[in-house]
Amino acid sequence: MRVPFLELKRESERHRTELERAIARVLARGWYILGPELEALEQEFARYLNVPFAAGVGSGTDALSLALEASEAVRPGEGDEVVTSVLSAAFSALAILRAGAIPRFADIDPATLQIDPRCIETGFGERTRAILPVHLYGHVCDMRQIGELARRHRLIVIEDACQAHGSRLDGNALGTFGFAAGFSFYPTKNLGALGDAGMVVTSDEGICLRVKKLRHGGQSRTYYHELPGCNSRLDEIQAAVLRLRLETLEAGNDTRRHMARAYDEAFADLDLTLLPVRPGLEPNRHLYPVRTRRREELRRYLSDHGIETLVHYPVPLSRQPALSRFVLPGQEFPVAERAAREIFSLPLNPELTEAEQQFTIEIVRRFFQK
Ligand SMILES: *Cc1c(COP(=O)(O)O)cnc(C)c1O
């Protein structure tokens, strides 16, 4: 048996008719940019999260950088700093750079692998203006402590919710705890487009209006450019596809949770560290990371049996050539360094068959029992 980590074609084949119908609707209208599909998607996604405002943009990276820029907490090119998690997709930090600010890093909590509030202050420089916590794997950062820290130092919080579509803490959707949040609709996310797309959500109408201006060249009206904006629009075809897929997001997340429970139970007695779920958190199970000192050996064993796994992420941002110069003198990240050597993700997505998951479970168990 071959178990792919994620095979996007399975979903698009299964929903081919509906997808083609959604795309045909846009073709028939002949309106491709900033039209009725995007407006409807913004409303529907905002309603789904229970947040007042949403603005569709070209990617998750742009959602984060435009949210930062629109918040006016960082002034481009002035040396303002934003602290984020050292263990994330590099795009979290690249978005800070794109907004004209300087990324700084904080180490992670050894159990949850999320940004450690106790380490955030070590990432503070002279001009820290914001914190960009990343809800990694669809789990949740300690938003209470991060909120307190932000209040004490008068910082704003922009959530990187690019992996957190539909995760809830005490019933509230992730992405609604900060000043604003950025979501990604990259094809592999729980809510994915057929290309690049992203969304800023916020309870601040001013931020939403500024993002909408910035994404469209900073125009206040056609051909009048008030702000030095960019071109980052979520197009009508992607919006139509995302509206369709939003309808099945909850069901997909439920399937993921069901699968995660099956893994949790099957691995409970093994020498394999699972990610704990914080009380009150309903994770969307974007990824299913596990942790072991024997990672390389186990990944090879799984690969030899046709099971594909990935590492999220193998290199902490502090050691990425593009970002290492932003590490403060003397700053170290021992927890993230160790995690980066021990974590990897098992296949988990709504298209994975029960037989594939059972096979994966069997091979993991066989590895520890041999
Ligand atoms: C996917 C992702 C991004 C970037 O989103 P894009 O749509 O690819 O630009 C940023 N942060 C995290 C944590 C992500 O997983």
Side-chain angles (χ1 to χ4, degrees):
M1 190 185 294
R2 193 185 72 86
V3 183
F5 187 78
L6 173 64
E7 198 167 58
L8 292 172
K9 202 173 66 177
R10 293 185 186 184
E11 194 272 354
S12 47
E13 283 297 317
R14 209 155 54 78
H15 293 285
R16 194 183 183 113
T17 316
E18 301 98 293
L19 284 166
E20 286 179 351
R21 207 177 297 138
I23 293 168
R25 189 170 74 225
V26 178
L27 296 184
R29 204 182 284 124
W31 185 350
Y32 301 115
I33 296 285
L34 298 181
E37 300 289 341
L38 177 59
E39 241 173 68
L41 174 68
E42 288 170 341
Q43 283 175 19
E44 288 158 11
F45 194 60
R47 195 178 322 129
Y48 171 73
L49 298 177
N50 196 19
V51 68
F53 306 104
V57 296
S59 70
T61 308
D62 284 356
L64 296 170
S65 68
L66 291 174
L68 274 170
E69 202 178 331
S71 75
E72 296 181 329
V74 300
R75 291 151 305 169
E78 298 286 317
D80 289 343
E81 300 162 314
V82 181
V83 182
T84 192
S85 174
V86 77
L87 190 76
S88 180
F91 294 97
S92 307
L94 295 174
I96 295 169
L97 272 178
R98 279 288 133 197
I102 294 173
R104 299 289 185 206
F105 305 115
D107 209 350
I108 55 170
D109 180 281
T112 64
L113 307 183
Q114 310 293 317
I115 192 169
D116 187 339
R118 292 166 301 185
C119 297
I120 290 177
E121 280 169 302
T122 71
F124 282 177
E126 303 273 291
R127 321 182 60 155
T128 304
R129 306 282 182 228
I131 305 173
L132 190 126
V134 183
H135 300 305
L136 201 62
Y137 315 128
H139 282 245
V140 68
C141 302
D142 189 335
M143 292 308 286
R144 199 178 49 80
Q145 295 235 41
I146 290 169
E148 273 170 28
L149 206 59
R151 268 190 298 283
R152 199 157 63 237
H153 295 274
R154 299 220 194 108
L155 312 173
I156 64 152
V157 176
I158 307 277
E159 298 169 80
D160 181 339
C162 287
Q163 301 190 357
H165 322 68
S167 292
R168 286 186 191 82
L169 181 66
D170 301 324
N172 299 309
L174 302 194
T176 64
F177 288 80
F179 199 39
F183 283 86
S184 165
F185 303 131
Y186 184 77
T188 62
K189 312 287 173 160
N190 289 33
L191 179 59
L194 299 175
D196 279 310
M199 185 88 75
V200 175
V201 303
T202 176
S203 51
D204 185 298
E205 189 172 19
I207 289 198
C208 183
L209 291 173
R210 272 193 296 281
V211 169
K212 286 184 173 176
K213 216 173 265 180
L214 288 167
R215 74 182 175 187
H216 193 36
Q219 296 174 90
S220 50
R221 58 197 163 96
T222 307
Y223 306 132
Y224 289 83
H225 295 260
E226 183 190 336
L227 299 171
C230 60
N231 178 347
S232 182
R233 298 165 303 217
L234 197 167
D235 70 72
E236 289 290 287
I237 290 184
Q238 300 306 338
V241 167
L242 288 165
R243 289 181 69 197
L244 176 68
R245 288 181 168 173
L246 181 57
E247 290 173 16
T248 54
L249 174 59
E250 269 309 290
N253 285 353
D254 280 342
T255 306
R256 288 170 182 269
R257 290 183 193 114
H258 178 79
M259 285 178 166
R261 265 195 304 277
Y263 274 148
D264 286 348
E265 282 164 21
F267 301 149
D269 61 333
L270 301 183
D271 187 19
L272 193 64
T273 307
L274 312 179
L275 206 63
V277 177
R278 272 187 54 138
L281 175 68
E282 213 186 331
N284 68 356
R285 298 296 189 173
H286 172 58
L287 292 168
Y288 190 87
V290 295
R291 188 166 178 174
T292 167
R293 288 180 189 216
R294 300 168 70 190
R295 178 180 75 185
E296 296 313 310
E297 210 187 325
L298 174 53
R299 285 194 76 207
R300 200 165 319 113
Y301 189 74
L302 288 164
S303 166
D304 288 345
H305 287 83
I307 299 164
E308 194 185 353
T309 61
L310 293 175
V311 177
H312 300 94
Y313 291 91
V315 183
L317 304 194
S318 52
R319 278 198 294 109
Q320 294 285 359
L323 297 166
S324 56
R325 69 194 155 105
F326 302 113
V327 174
L328 291 167
Q331 236 194 336
E332 288 180 65
F333 307 95
V335 184
E337 287 291 352
R338 188 169 159 204
R341 287 193 299 269
E342 298 182 348
I343 45 174
F344 74 99
S345 307
L346 288 169
L348 187 154
N349 61 81
E351 302 300 322
L352 195 74
T353 67
E354 195 168 330
E356 287 171 332
Q357 188 182 22
Q358 282 312 315
F359 181 67
T360 304
I361 286 172
E362 186 191 316
I363 300 301
V364 170
R365 291 194 61 83
R366 206 186 294 166
F367 172 83
F368 284 102
Q369 285 156 1
K370 75 183 154 96

